[in-house]
Amino acid sequence: MYIKEIELNNFRIYKGKNKISLLPEGDKNIIVISGKNGYGKTTFLMSLVWCLYGKQMEKVDELYEKEIRDKGNYTKYISNSLNRKAYEEGITEFSVSVTFTDVKIPEVTCNEVTIKRSYNIVSNSSDRVEVLIDGYPNQLIEDLTKDNQRGEEIFIRDFILPIEIAKFFFFDAEKIVSLAEINSSNQRRQLSKAYSEVLGIQKYEDLKANLEEKQDEYRRRSAKPEEKEELNLLHTEIENTKIKIEGLVKNIEDLKYERNQKEKDAEDIQRRLIKEGDKMTLDELNSLKDEQSKLEQKKNEVQESLKQYFDIIPFALAGETLMNISEQLTNERNLTEQKYKQEDVNLKINQIKQEIEIQRVEERLVFDTNVRNFYEKQIEKLIKKYFFSDIPDLPDNFEVLHDFSNSETNEFNQLINTIKHSFKETFSRLNAEYSYLKNQLDIISRKIRDAEKLAEDEYIANLRSRKDSLDKRILSINNEIETLNQRIGELNNHLKSLRQRQEILRKKIDEASEYSEKEQKTKQIINRLQNFIALFKEEKKRSLEEKILKGLNNLLHKKDFITKVEVDISLTGEDIDISLYNSRNKLIDKGSLSMGERQMYASALLNALVDESDIEFPVFIDSPMQKFDEKHAENIIKYFYPNVSKQVVIFPLINKELTEKEYTELHPKVCKTFLINNISNEKSEFIECHPSEFLKTYKTLYNAD
């Protein structure tokens, strides 16, 4: 799939119709779009995300979520996207359209697909989306329409790019380091869901779930009355639990919407208070608020990280018990691996003893009982020593206590490695960082309070009262959201328990039932699908490990720094964890990596995921080459940009994010280059120039040396 062209019409700084053609040429797959800060690079990338996802764009990047929150809600945010000059001229509508080629739609032949999203600030309460296939509407879109879901939105999700994985194709190169900083279980769960989607695991899990629902219909026909009743009750409770979870999620969304409004109102009052207090300028306030927001976000991130380590502290205190468990697990694994070999050894020892006994009887030899016992024990010992030395000796009374799976054993060993190698240092660092951030926030809060002290009249008192009321409601909403999230966690655990009971009952009915040919066929398909999913996950795991490691070896200039990558995919696919190991086979704490190394890891991970996904979609990269030293930059240009996708669009700041030397190295893979020409504060336009003339044109246009 390729993007042929994009047209922005009165969208923010792009007045009128601005069309840009992005099709690659031959083996040259990189398109460079550059301009100075404020000219419209980030706006251009944002327009593409908005065109595809509209209100859901906040799920693609934290930047959009924050901007929408700062404006109060999506409607206020997007209404602000009409070009100011166009608004003065009486125009009330803006739009963005994207035309794709090589889109594969089952049973539909097409050359091009155009998606256009429009918004009218006067008449529209929501976006208007059009999907044209070869220039015309198609019945497929109408067929896709479901309750509360427009066919156009479903088409984009199913045939263009699912929103869950869009973050892997639209990203800020400086911010992708966040992939290496995932700490909380909630962050891991959300990212794992995206991994599962991009790797193609989720579609098979969904298919299996649908077939199991169908099989339950058959089971209800042949089950005993009491089993049928229990199966129906379980099915009903599962569905009701899902509905409760959906309702709670909707409640959280409503509360977040209200919180955004209250925070915006409280911020407006705060500005007025400081202005009336004559303590600082509005610009100083904005700067202070930005600093406060960043520190608050960082403090929350550090706090989340600390929470994870709080869970580890009891295990660290019980170090001796953990080591005993580790030894027990090693013995259990040895017992499992050597069970059959041990039986073979014992069999051979007994055979040797029997043959010696037969020979003793024939020779009519008589031995003292102590002598006989001595030689038998020595024979056993020496046979094991010289012929079966690889078999560990376990006590005769050894019992299997834990019976961990490989995944559980790996998770336990990872916990021990964390406690041994990184826990103390990382916990101390995080604790010190948290204290520092908290102190800085206290300082800022005092500055804000000091700015209000001089204003004591009735008007100011009223403003303070309103702000206090808003702050209390915001705090109340945060508490409600936390309570609802806890309730969702409880319901998810309950749902898991119900499904386990459902699976046990299914097996019980299956063992006692005779099925028709159709029912047997469904059962066979589910079993085959289950085996396929297990093999598919294992194949994806190995392939992803190999590709991430290869990418790291290509990108990092410290060769053999990372020698092993381990991808752990849970049986349900709900948890996917990636671990890195050094040459001594020791787990590497991703938090200890430098910013450049984290970016290299994130780039290698993105490259592997995009390659493994088989999703052919262009990759858009804002702020490329940030925080790279010369060698890392060379590796990114040589191995990452040319291979991450068949169509790669980068948005660099020339000389800062892409130097002349780096562009020269990139040039053989560049097919098109564009500069954003800023005509006025209300208007920018695209200027295409030949790749070989790009830097020269840049210097001429911007009077740059």
Side-chain angles (χ1 to χ4, degrees):
M1 183 189 306
Y2 297 95
I3 290 181
K4 178 183 177 182
E5 62 185 25
I6 300 174
E7 182 178 278
L8 293 81
N9 185 17
N10 290 319
F11 187 84
R12 299 205 167 191
I13 201 167
Y14 295 97
K15 184 175 185 305
K17 292 185 178 180
N18 291 265
K19 189 179 291 186
I20 184 169
S21 174
L22 300 177
L23 273 181
E25 299 169 359
D27 63 344
K28 297 182 177 184
N29 66 321
I30 297 174
I31 296 100
V32 181
I33 302 175
S34 182
K36 289 191 174 182
N37 282 331
Y39 281 16
K41 292 198 302 348
T42 303
T43 294
F44 177 67
L45 183 57
M46 175 260 185
S47 74
L48 180 56
V49 176
W50 176 71
C51 179
L52 293 179
Y53 303 114
K55 187 176 182 179
Q56 301 297 313
M57 64 188 295
E58 63 184 271
K59 296 181 180 179
V60 178
D61 194 295
E62 291 178 354
L63 170 67
Y64 307 132
E65 181 183 12
K66 182 180 182 303
E67 288 182 348
I68 291 171
R69 186 173 65 247
D70 289 345
K71 289 296 181 183
N73 58 51
Y74 171 77
T75 301
K76 292 180 180 178
Y77 168 73
I78 204 61
S79 296
N80 199 41
S81 295
L82 177 65
N83 179 269
R84 290 193 295 268
K85 191 68 174 175
Y87 176 74
E88 290 174 5
E89 295 174 359
I91 298 171
T92 59
E93 184 169 294
F94 59 89
S95 65
V96 178
S97 66
V98 184
T99 301
F100 297 88
T101 62
D102 289 356
V103 181
K104 295 178 177 62
I105 306 173
E107 301 180 8
V108 176
T109 303
C110 72
N111 295 316
E112 294 182 354
V113 172
T114 298
I115 297 169
K116 180 179 179 181
R117 190 178 295 268
S118 309
Y119 191 90
N120 192 302
I121 64 170
V122 175
S123 60
N124 278 11
S125 58
S126 62
D127 313 336
R128 187 175 74 255
V129 188
E130 300 172 77
V131 175
L132 302 178
I133 298 177
D134 287 336
Y136 297 96
N138 193 287
Q139 181 65 34
L140 169 67
I141 308 303
E142 191 172 328
D143 294 341
L144 288 172
T145 301
K146 297 178 183 178
D147 295 338
N148 300 323
Q149 292 189 68
R150 291 184 292 186
E152 292 84 359
E153 305 286 5
I154 296 173
F155 176 87
I156 294 169
R157 184 188 68 202
D158 290 352
F159 298 110
I160 302 300
L161 188 69
I163 193 168
E164 293 83 2
I165 60 178
K167 66 180 67 180
F168 298 126
F169 295 86
F170 304 97
F171 61 87
D172 184 319
E174 186 178 8
K175 293 178 182 175
I176 60 169
V177 295
S178 60
L179 289 178
E181 299 169 344
I182 298 300
N183 291 313
S184 73
S185 56
N186 187 47
Q187 287 174 316
R188 269 183 58 179
R189 188 162 53 249
Q190 289 179 353
L191 193 59
S192 295
K193 184 179 179 182
Y195 286 167
S196 185
E197 191 81 42
V198 78
L199 292 174
I201 295 171
Q202 193 59 47
K203 61 183 178 184
Y204 293 113
E205 294 284 3
D206 292 343
L207 177 59
K208 176 173 164 284
N210 290 336
L211 286 170
E212 286 174 339
E213 286 290 325
K214 190 67 179 174
Q215 193 178 29
D216 276 350
E217 293 180 17
Y218 300 144
R219 288 189 178 101
R220 282 191 279 271
R221 296 175 193 167
S222 57
K224 296 176 183 178
E226 62 273 15
E227 292 171 339
K228 183 176 181 180
E229 181 181 2
E230 186 178 356
L231 194 62
N232 284 334
L233 288 173
L234 280 171
H235 177 77
T236 302
E237 192 169 357
I238 286 171
E239 292 304 311
N240 287 339
T241 304
K242 287 180 182 177
I243 292 170
K244 287 178 183 177
I245 292 173
E246 289 173 1
L248 292 175
V249 170
K250 179 66 170 59
N251 288 345
I252 290 174
E253 289 178 356
D254 292 342
L255 284 169
K256 285 182 176 179
Y257 181 87
E258 182 187 351
R259 183 181 63 188
N260 291 345
Q261 296 275 49
K262 302 294 184 192
E263 286 177 343
K264 182 69 169 58
D265 293 343
E267 191 171 317
D268 289 341
I269 292 175
Q270 180 71 67
R271 285 193 174 94
R272 275 188 276 170
L273 278 170
I274 293 177
K275 186 178 179 182
E276 293 292 334
D278 197 27
K279 196 69 176 175
M280 62 178 67
T281 66
L282 194 58
D283 287 340
E284 289 172 333
L285 168 64
N286 290 333
S287 176
L288 202 61
K289 291 293 289 183
D290 288 342
E291 185 181 356
Q292 185 184 43
S293 177
K294 289 174 183 176
L295 286 171
E296 190 68 46
Q297 183 179 356
K298 186 65 178 174
K299 189 196 81 169
N300 291 337
E301 290 172 359
V302 173
Q303 191 172 20
E304 281 297 318
S305 300
L306 278 171
K307 285 180 182 178
Q308 298 297 311
Y309 280 93
F310 288 152
D311 293 338
I312 295 176
I313 289 175
F315 294 101
L317 294 174
E320 185 177 349
T321 303
L322 280 181
M323 295 313 297
N324 291 337
I325 294 173
S326 179
E327 184 179 350
Q328 173 73 16
L329 291 176
T330 300
N331 288 336
E332 288 182 12
R333 186 174 66 250
N334 289 337
L335 181 65
T336 302
E337 292 174 351
Q338 303 297 343
K339 180 180 177 183
Y340 297 108
K341 192 180 285 188
Q342 184 70 51
E343 291 175 357
D344 188 44
V345 172
N346 292 337
L347 178 64
K348 285 182 169 55
I349 290 173
N350 288 333
Q351 288 174 344
I352 291 171
K353 285 182 179 180
Q354 289 172 7
E355 289 183 20
I356 292 174
E357 179 63 19
I358 292 170
Q359 190 67 31
R360 186 193 65 77
V361 172
E362 289 179 357
E363 297 287 336
R364 296 182 179 181
L365 297 174
V366 178
F367 297 105
D368 179 86
T369 303
N370 290 333
V371 173
R372 180 172 176 171
N373 289 340
F374 170 77
Y375 279 106
E376 283 186 354
K377 288 180 180 178
Q378 291 303 312
I379 287 168
E380 288 182 21
K381 183 178 177 182
L382 293 172
I383 287 174
K384 288 182 179 179
K385 178 178 179 181
Y386 291 107
F387 297 100
F388 302 99
S389 59
D390 60 328
I391 299 177
D393 286 322
L394 297 174
D396 294 334
N397 60 349
F398 180 77
E399 293 182 25
V400 174
L401 301 177
H402 306 295
D403 194 21
F404 278 14
S405 66
N406 288 336
S407 176
E408 290 169 331
T409 302
N410 290 337
E411 189 173 348
F412 182 80
N413 289 335
Q414 185 175 342
L415 172 63
I416 289 180
N417 283 331
T418 299
I419 292 172
K420 277 184 176 180
H421 304 294
S422 64
F423 170 70
K424 183 178 179 180
E425 180 183 341
T426 306
F427 183 79
S428 299
R429 175 177 59 80
L430 288 172
N431 195 42
E433 188 176 357
Y434 178 79
S435 298
Y436 170 76
L437 291 169
K438 192 171 182 300
N439 287 336
Q440 291 298 108
L441 281 168
D442 288 342
I443 291 170
I444 289 177
S445 297
R446 282 197 298 272
K447 286 181 179 179
I448 292 174
R449 285 197 302 271
D450 290 343
E452 300 173 3
K453 281 181 180 177
L454 295 179
E456 295 294 342
D457 62 18
E458 185 178 345
Y459 171 69
I460 297 300
N462 184 42
L463 286 178
R464 284 177 176 168
S465 175
R466 286 169 56 194
K467 185 177 183 302
D468 185 57
S469 176
L470 288 167
D471 288 342
K472 286 178 180 177
R473 178 54 188 154
I474 291 167
L475 180 62
S476 171
I477 289 173
N478 287 334
N479 292 334
E480 288 179 48
I481 289 174
E482 186 175 351
T483 301
L484 291 175
N485 277 322
Q486 290 175 355
R487 179 59 181 150
I488 288 173
E490 293 170 1
L491 287 173
N492 277 322
N493 289 333
H494 181 56
L495 194 60
K496 187 177 181 180
S497 173
L498 290 172
R499 283 172 172 157
Q500 288 173 343
R501 287 169 52 195
Q502 187 184 48
E503 190 60 33
I504 292 170
L505 183 59
R506 284 170 173 171
K507 289 179 180 177
K508 181 181 176 183
I509 295 172
D510 289 347
E511 289 169 359
S513 302
E514 291 294 330
Y515 291 127
S516 67
E517 183 178 346
K518 183 189 294 184
E519 293 163 349
Q520 288 284 5
K521 192 68 176 176
T522 304
K523 184 178 179 181
Q524 289 172 10
I525 292 172
I526 291 173
N527 289 337
R528 287 180 186 174
L529 186 57
Q530 197 161 355
N531 292 333
F532 170 79
I533 290 172
L535 292 172
F536 184 71
K537 286 179 181 176
E538 187 61 31
E539 179 187 331
K540 288 293 181 184
K541 163 186 160 67
R542 286 197 303 269
S543 182
L544 203 56
E545 287 171 345
E546 291 171 3
K547 287 176 178 175
I548 294 173
L549 183 59
K550 181 181 177 182
L552 286 168
N553 286 334
N554 284 334
L555 296 176
L556 289 171
H557 52 62
K558 287 197 292 189
K559 300 304 178 186
D560 298 325
F561 169 48
I562 297 172
T563 57
K564 186 173 80 171
V565 175
E566 193 172 86
V567 177
D568 187 18
I569 303 177
S570 68
L571 292 176
T572 60
E574 293 175 355
D575 192 10
I576 300 177
D577 194 22
I578 299 172
S579 303
L580 309 177
Y581 294 86
N582 61 22
S583 57
R584 299 187 304 281
N585 204 34
K586 297 295 184 183
L587 181 68
I588 297 172
D589 178 9
K590 299 190 195 83
S592 67
L593 299 175
S594 70
M595 290 302 289
E597 288 167 345
R598 292 185 202 184
Q599 199 163 342
M600 292 296 98
Y601 163 69
S603 298
L605 173 58
L606 282 166
N607 199 6
L609 285 170
V610 172
D611 188 37
E612 198 63 37
S613 71
D614 290 329
I615 297 174
E616 293 186 355
F617 194 88
V619 169
F620 292 79
I621 306 169
D622 197 8
S623 302
M625 318 301 289
Q626 283 273 27
K627 297 192 185 330
F628 289 154
D629 58 30
E630 189 174 350
K631 185 61 179 176
H632 278 156
E634 180 184 340
N635 290 340
I636 281 285
I637 288 169
K638 188 182 295 184
Y639 300 110
F640 182 61
Y641 292 149
N643 300 313
V644 68
S645 174
K646 292 180 180 178
Q647 187 179 18
V648 180
V649 185
I650 64 174
F651 301 83
L653 280 171
I654 301 302
N655 296 326
K656 181 180 179 183
E657 296 167 353
L658 187 68
T659 65
E660 186 169 350
K661 180 183 176 183
E662 289 163 353
Y663 179 76
T664 302
E665 292 172 348
L666 189 67
H667 180 261
K669 300 297 292 184
V670 176
C671 63
K672 291 183 178 180
T673 56
F674 297 87
L675 289 168
I676 301 174
N677 182 32
N678 184 241
I679 299 171
S680 69
N681 290 334
E682 288 84 24
K683 185 173 183 179
S684 285
E685 63 180 8
F686 301 111
I687 297 178
E688 183 173 5
C689 47
H690 194 277
S692 61
E693 298 291 318
F694 176 61
L695 293 180
K696 182 180 177 182
T697 308
Y698 170 84
K699 292 175 182 178
T700 302
L701 185 65
Y702 299 141
N703 296 317
D705 294 329

